[in-house]
Amino acid sequence: ELAAAGLAPRIDFQDHWVNAGYASPDDFLARFPSKRRNALRRERRAPAEQGITIRTVRGDELARDPEGWAKACFALHRRTTDKMVWGMRWVNQRFYEAAIRGLPDAVEVVEGRREGRMIGMAFNLASAERLYGRYWGCSEEHPFLHFNVALYHSIDECIRRGTKVFEGGAGGEHKVARGFEPAETWSAHAFLDPRLDRSVREYVAHELRERRLAVQQWREEHPRLGG
């Protein structure tokens, strides 16, 4: 409809985890070759060996202290983005608090604690069928902490709760090696300056062909993981 209205469609892709009716995390891991499966299990064991506990906080627990959770999430998010040359704080502490207060049935915080301190978090949003991973942050560096807080724990929760899709957010080739699959995402664009509009249309038309080819090639190269 947007294209018919005169906008130029653009395709991109993110990596999404799709629940194929897994009965347990072991059922999910069984899809991988033995060597890769053993590597993933080692990564998943790391938090317990490091004295880190991970859990998902939802609903009433967040609602009892939205300001406190917002402060903790933003502090970890800020520490992580500030260490990156390209890091940008797209949201502030007020955003976290407004989301926790205003979306009590949707917001989920995955927390990682060590010696009682919250050292890592993933800020997610959930619908009845999908989990949306949005922001991540940590105050300590531990091997595989990011994978466990931002990916593995939520994959296991999706299996436990019957969630169909986990959209882990943009970027990250590391997701593919951990069971995520390329999924098309769409947007549509138009610019008032006809010169710019013409250039953008030419570019997205070329990009559209290249992106579709890339996804097709990936699925041919990964028939077991790509479905």
Side-chain angles (χ1 to χ4, degrees), residues 8-30:
R10 178 177 184 258
I11 187 175
D12 199 352
F13 60 87
Q14 296 180 353
D15 296 314
H16 296 172
W17 178 87
V18 179
N19 191 343
Y22 302 115
S24 69
D26 284 340
D27 192 18
F28 162 61
L29 291 174

Side-chain angles (χ1 to χ4, degrees), residues 47 51-55 111-114:
I52 299 170
T53 59
I54 301 173
R55 70 184 183 109
E111 65 162 20
R113 289 187 180 269
R114 182 171 179 269

Side-chain angles (χ1 to χ4, degrees), residues 30 38 116 120 126 135 159 188 195 210-211:
N38 290 334
Y135 298 110
I159 293 172
R195 297 166 298 176
E210 293 296 321
R211 293 296 174 90

Side-chain angles (χ1 to χ4, degrees), residues 2 48 107 183 187 190 207:
L2 291 173
V107 171
S187 57
E207 184 187 49

Side-chain angles (χ1 to χ4, degrees), residues 129-146:
E129 296 186 346
R130 289 183 178 249
L131 180 67
Y132 303 89
R134 295 276 70 88
Y135 298 110
W136 139 266
C138 68
S139 59
E140 297 181 8
E141 300 291 340
H142 297 278
F144 311 119
L145 178 64
H146 172 260

